[in-house]
């Protein structure tokens, strides 16, 4: 037996190289699939968030119109409606604000002196939905933003506004018999 024949035997190297290449290629393919799937998941989440915000916004616009028209014209009565919507949309909280005149930048909202809209947005800022409001609704001078979930629609002689907290109501008149 010569020592040279044992050293020149490299048949087992091809099996080890094959295993290393197979594991390397599989790792690269799985990493590529995970990166692609996470991008797809994020875009689907944004689409679902916008769709849900649009649905909630349309409900809110309808509730605002109902509250405004139930107050009646020229009435000194105050109408307070508590509305309840989901607090979170696709895992994110959201805020609601009323914008009027030139602040409504959406194709669905006409540009004009009476254009007003409802803007729903998430804190990340990449999901914003603009819903047109009835141009006949008179808005209050102060238009605060409210958090999604439960809030109050208040209609009084100053117009329509939104409030996070329950507004103080005037006491009922005393009735004497």
């Amino acid at each position: 037996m010569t020592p040279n024949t044992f050293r020149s035997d490299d048949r087992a190297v091809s099996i080890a190289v094959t295993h290393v290449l197979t594991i390397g290629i599989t790792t690269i393919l799985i990493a590529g699939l995970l990166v692609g799937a996470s991008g797809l998941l994020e875009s689907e989440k944004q689409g679902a968030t916008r769709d849900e915000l649009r649905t909630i916004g349309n409900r809110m616009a309808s509730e605002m119109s109902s509250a405004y028209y139930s107050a009646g014209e020229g009435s000194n009565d105050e109408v307070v409606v508590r509305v309840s919507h989901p607090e979170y949309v696709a895992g994110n909280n959201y805020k609601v604000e009323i914008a009027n005149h030139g602040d409504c930048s959406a194709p669905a909202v006409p540009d004009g002196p009476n254009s007003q809209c409802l803007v729903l947005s998430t804190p990340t800022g990449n999901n914003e939905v603009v819903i047109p409001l009835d141009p006949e609704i008179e808005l209050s001078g102060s238009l605060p933003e409210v958090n999604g979930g439960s809030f109050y629609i208040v209609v009084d002689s100053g117009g329509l506004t939104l409030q996070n907290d329950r507004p103080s109501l005037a006491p009922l008149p005393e009735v004497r018999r």
Side-chain angles (χ1 to χ4, degrees), residues 43-104:
S43 68
E44 288 296 319
K45 183 179 177 182
Q46 286 183 355
T49 301
R50 276 196 289 291
D51 288 345
E52 195 166 348
L53 284 176
R54 192 172 297 114
T55 300
I56 292 170
N58 284 327
R59 283 182 44 205
M60 287 179 186
S62 175
E63 291 165 345
M64 288 178 194
S65 293
S66 296
Y68 182 78
Y69 289 117
S70 67
E73 285 190 37
S75 174
N76 289 333
D77 294 338
E78 181 178 60
V79 174
V80 178
V81 179
R82 181 179 182 266
V83 294
S84 183
H85 297 280
E87 289 185 37
Y88 297 97
V89 173
N92 292 319
N93 57 351
Y94 61 98
K95 67 179 181 175
V96 181
E97 61 183 318
I98 299 175
N100 57 11
H101 302 298
D103 298 332
C104 299

Side-chain angles (χ1 to χ4, degrees), residues 170-175:
L172 293 174
E174 193 173 314
V175 177

Side-chain angles (χ1 to χ4, degrees), residues 102-113:
D103 298 332
C104 299
S105 58
V109 181
D111 289 328

Side-chain angles (χ1 to χ4, degrees), residues 21 30 48 57 88 104 163 166:
L21 287 175
I30 289 175
Y88 297 97
C104 299
Q163 295 181 6
R166 181 178 172 91

Side-chain angles (χ1 to χ4, degrees), residues 112-126:
N114 292 331
S115 65
Q116 49 199 20
C117 60
L118 194 59
V119 180
L120 289 84
S121 60
T122 58
T124 57
N126 57 355

